[in-house]
Amino acid sequence: MSEPALDAERDAVLAALRPVVDGIAATFGPVCEAVLHDYRRPERSVVAVAGSVTGRTVGGAMSEIGMRVLARGDEARDELNYVTCTADGTLLKSSTMVLRDSTGAVFGALCVNLDVTAVDRAHALLGALAGTARTPEVPATTFGDDIDAVVDAIVDAHPLRRDTSWAALDRERRLELFRDLDGRGVFAVRRSVEHVAARLGISRASAYHYLSQARALPGPAADTP
């Protein structure tokens, strides 16, 4: 099938899912948000949204979860019923379901986010009363309409970035940083190499050099730091 025909097919799938987005959010009420993504345009991947759990809007960027799916390409799989939290501490139970065209290529995703903060607090209260309270660590995820802010959050949260400066990293750890960022889909976004370079305080040429060297390392890239 030609690329224009595949694009028409993908557009038809997205169009068919728009009312599904509204239906999901309406069914679960104000604690639910459904988001439809078109990964052909990562910087403005949100094509439909219902609910306002993460404050997403149409034309907004994908989150770091979407970047991770994008990095895996056609090997990506659905991620169901995982727990994360927003920057303001809102606890989410989420699912990301990838969309494929008739060739099996991944081109988007349907995501559902449920705000379970109140449920978690009630659970913690009951656990405290029963003497069985636990506070497991939940990974934070950056959601927003600005792709640069998402990239910044991923770079700044990386352990190698938090623990020391770029100048203090040896070559091996610099390559590890770029390899991990690549595995998380950061460099699948347009102009992201230049943006990461500025964030790290290095030249664009240096960033491209380390990315090239990191991709030349044997074995699959990691997708988490």
Side-chain angles (χ1 to χ4, degrees):
M1 185 179 294
S2 67
E3 194 61 30
L6 283 173
D7 274 334
E9 177 189 295
R10 295 161 185 159
D11 290 340
V13 172
L14 292 171
L17 285 173
R18 279 182 168 87
V20 175
V21 168
D22 292 328
I24 291 172
T27 299
F28 289 97
V31 299
C32 178
E33 174 188 79
V35 187
L36 185 63
H37 289 276
D38 183 351
Y39 287 164
R40 292 172 293 179
R41 45 181 193 174
E43 299 85 1
R44 46 191 180 93
S45 70
V46 178
V47 295
V49 59
S52 58
V53 172
T54 65
R56 320 300 294 281
T57 59
V58 172
M62 64 172 55
S63 70
E64 57 193 273
I65 298 167
M67 287 184 182
R68 185 168 68 238
V69 173
L70 191 64
R72 292 170 178 166
D74 296 342
E75 299 301 315
R77 295 290 180 268
D78 296 343
E79 297 189 26
L80 306 177
N81 221 30
Y82 57 89
V83 178
T84 185
C85 68
T86 65
D88 66 3
T90 301
L91 191 67
L92 304 178
K93 186 175 74 167
S94 304
S95 290
T96 299
M97 294 150 283
V98 298
L99 306 178
R100 300 178 187 272
D101 60 29
S102 57
T103 70
V106 172
F107 69 91
L110 174 60
C111 303
V112 179
N113 300 309
L114 289 177
D115 181 350
V116 294
T117 308
V119 175
D120 182 67
R121 289 172 179 166
H123 182 270
L125 175 60
L126 292 173
L129 290 172
T132 58
R134 293 182 298 172
T135 55
E137 183 177 351
V138 176
T141 298
T142 299
F143 296 95
D145 289 337
D146 181 5
I147 195 67
D148 290 344
V150 176
V151 171
D152 286 347
I154 295 174
V155 173
D156 292 346
H158 195 284
L160 291 176
R161 170 71 170 167
R162 290 198 315 263
D163 296 343
T164 188
S165 67
W166 172 262
L169 297 177
D170 58 22
R171 179 178 180 276
E172 181 179 353
R173 288 191 293 170
R174 290 179 178 183
L175 290 176
E176 179 185 347
L177 172 60
F178 271 82
R179 185 174 170 83
D180 286 346
L181 294 178
D182 194 28
R184 299 186 71 179
V186 168
F187 299 116
V189 177
R190 189 163 51 94
R191 299 190 306 274
S192 60
V193 176
E194 292 88 339
H195 192 80
V196 170
R199 197 69 177 176
L200 295 175
I202 62 178
S203 70
R204 182 174 65 176
S206 293
Y208 275 107
H209 169 75
Y210 281 108
L211 178 58
S212 175
Q213 293 294 308
R215 286 176 171 174
L217 294 173
D223 55 29
T224 56

